[in-house]
Amino acid sequence: MKISPRAPWIAGLAVATLTLIPATASAGSPRTAAPHADAAVTTGASVDAYYAAAEGKTGAALKTALHDIIKTQSKVTYEGVWNALKVTDQDPANPNNVILVYSGRSQSKSTNGGGVNDWNREHVWAKSHGDFGTATGPGTDLHHLRPEDVTVNSTRGNKDFDMGGSPVAEAPGSFTDSNSFEPRNAVKGDVARMLLYMAVRYDGGDGFANLEVNDKVDNGSAPAIGRISVLKQWNQQDPPDAFEQRRNQVIFDQFQHNRNPFVDHPEWVNSIW
């Protein structure tokens, strides 16, 4: 089901009390106040106000308006991403764990690292697609960074997203072939909306490449990722759930103070692409 511009979940959304990790990175620094919302509760009215400049727009005009809105953000260092993910991706059923994006497994927050059974920082928009590495900006943007098993992360590598392939060990429901990766059904829409956020947020104006989505695989180091036709299907097939909505809110309230517009308004995907 699509979320309307004044979806009822927004009005009732309250963010649980969490250990605050400062938006500018290291633990122990003062927290930067969110410029657009109260840290505890965001109402439908305040979300509407956040997107006011995009109201009534479609196509390229909507994309430009959203870029201008979401480009105002606090930034997290790459080291700070570790602690941030422990908050944004916390298992609702176990506060000591995070949920791994492709695997769907609940795993101890303390097992982050580089070992075979550890979890690490998965760049859903592969950092080689635009060659931004781990630079503060696209390389540390929490809206596309998720915890994932080290082995599964390596299997995904920098492949584009498409349907098909062979099953991925340790990621039930995911498939891969030589040039593409298909995530499990429960996060197909999440993946699509993360990638489309990146394509709107990074347009070449921050000293980074102009990121774009296209309808092919094998994009390599080009600042592009695909396939948009499949991503649009996934956005409709898997609408935002409570976990994704909460994650968007936590990033807004506690870390970057910007939102993923396609989590709030998934219908805008078809308005732009």
mmCIF file of all heavy atoms in Angstrom, residues 6 150 176 203:
data_model
loop_
_atom_site.group_PDB
_atom_site.id
_atom_site.type_symbol
_atom_site.label_atom_id
_atom_site.label_comp_id
_atom_site.label_asym_id
_atom_site.label_seq_id
_atom_site.Cartn_x
_atom_site.Cartn_y
_atom_site.Cartn_z
ATOM 1 N N ARG A 6 -0.005 12.538 3.699
ATOM 2 C CA ARG A 6 -0.253 12.742 5.123
ATOM 3 C C ARG A 6 -0.549 11.406 5.782
ATOM 4 O O ARG A 6 -1.540 11.225 6.463
ATOM 5 C CB ARG A 6 -1.416 13.717 5.335
ATOM 6 C CG ARG A 6 -1.163 15.096 4.748
ATOM 7 C CD ARG A 6 -2.367 15.995 4.936
ATOM 8 N NE ARG A 6 -2.186 17.227 4.228
ATOM 9 C CZ ARG A 6 -1.594 18.311 4.739
ATOM 10 N NH1 ARG A 6 -1.114 18.273 5.954
ATOM 11 N NH2 ARG A 6 -1.467 19.411 4.040
ATOM 12 N N VAL A 150 30.046 -9.913 6.784
ATOM 13 C CA VAL A 150 31.241 -9.637 5.994
ATOM 14 C C VAL A 150 31.270 -10.469 4.708
ATOM 15 O O VAL A 150 31.583 -9.951 3.624
ATOM 16 C CB VAL A 150 32.507 -9.894 6.836
ATOM 17 C CG1 VAL A 150 33.761 -9.916 5.967
ATOM 18 C CG2 VAL A 150 32.643 -8.832 7.929
ATOM 19 N N THR A 176 22.511 -13.910 -6.676
ATOM 20 C CA THR A 176 23.551 -13.128 -7.345
ATOM 21 C C THR A 176 24.075 -13.865 -8.569
ATOM 22 O O THR A 176 24.004 -15.101 -8.649
ATOM 23 C CB THR A 176 24.708 -12.814 -6.372
ATOM 24 O OG1 THR A 176 25.556 -11.821 -6.944
ATOM 25 C CG2 THR A 176 25.531 -14.058 -6.053
ATOM 26 N N ASP A 203 24.373 15.389 -6.663
ATOM 27 C CA ASP A 203 24.182 15.802 -8.059
ATOM 28 C C ASP A 203 25.409 16.465 -8.651
ATOM 29 O O ASP A 203 25.338 17.153 -9.659
ATOM 30 C CB ASP A 203 22.977 16.739 -8.168
ATOM 31 C CG ASP A 203 23.212 18.093 -7.508
ATOM 32 O OD1 ASP A 203 24.219 18.244 -6.777
ATOM 33 O OD2 ASP A 203 22.401 19.018 -7.736
#
